Amino acid sequence: QEEVVESGGGSAMAGGSLRLSCVASGDTFSDYCMAWFRQAPGKEREGVAGIDNVGSRTYADVVKGRFTISKDNAKKTLYLQMNQLKPEDTAVYYCAVDSHCMSWGKLISGWYNTWGQGTQVTVSS
């Protein structure tokens, strides 16, 4: 059973930066498509950024140019570098694994079969 654990959340001022990490336990990490989703209080979960197994990336329009997703296969770790943070980025961020890579890194939550517990990101103005 695949497991993923997120870390790196916390508090930041508007305009600041945070980097989220997601460590996976599986043996075929390099084959995975993975993504970051987030959910703010009172709102539905939304896709933030995804990456497929050959490194192609997808971003939500609201984070393009500010967030960067990357994947280190040797460390079995997914990252989300978040720059120019805004108060509206405040949410719980979730790491998601599509172990069959059916999603091709697209931000459709139904394709992802393993989810982390989430890490809180709070941005103050």
Side-chain angles (χ1 to χ4, degrees):
Q1 179 75 23
E2 177 69 71
E3 291 184 354
V4 292
V5 178
E6 304 99 334
S7 62
S11 298
M13 297 296 293
S17 299
L18 287 171
R19 188 175 80 156
L20 305 183
S21 300
C22 171
V23 179
S25 62
D27 294 329
T28 56
F29 183 85
S30 61
D31 293 337
Y32 296 162
C33 289
M34 300 185 72
W36 291 96
F37 289 79
R38 69 185 183 187
Q39 188 166 20
K43 294 187 177 181
E44 294 190 356
R45 184 171 55 191
E46 63 175 354
V48 175
I51 186 167
D52 69 13
N53 55 3
V54 294
S56 296
R57 297 166 171 83
T58 299
Y59 294 97
D61 288 343
V62 294
V63 305
K64 278 181 182 177
R66 300 189 297 121
F67 290 11
T68 302
I69 188 171
S70 60
K71 189 168 172 264
D72 186 329
N73 291 329
K75 295 182 178 180
K76 297 184 181 180
T77 302
L78 179 74
Y79 300 100
L80 184 68
Q81 178 66 44
M82 304 185 294
N83 298 329
Q84 301 173 47
L85 284 163
K86 302 177 180 180
E88 50 263 44
D89 294 320
T90 295
V92 177
Y93 283 70
Y94 297 92
C95 171
V97 177
D98 169 13
S99 54
H100 301 293
C101 210
M102 299 295 287
S103 66
W104 292 105
K106 303 306 179 187
L107 302 175
I108 302 172
S109 61
W111 286 114
Y112 294 86
N113 52 291
T114 300
W115 294 79
Q117 296 291 329
T119 186
Q120 176 71 46
V121 171
T122 302
V123 184
S124 302
S125 57

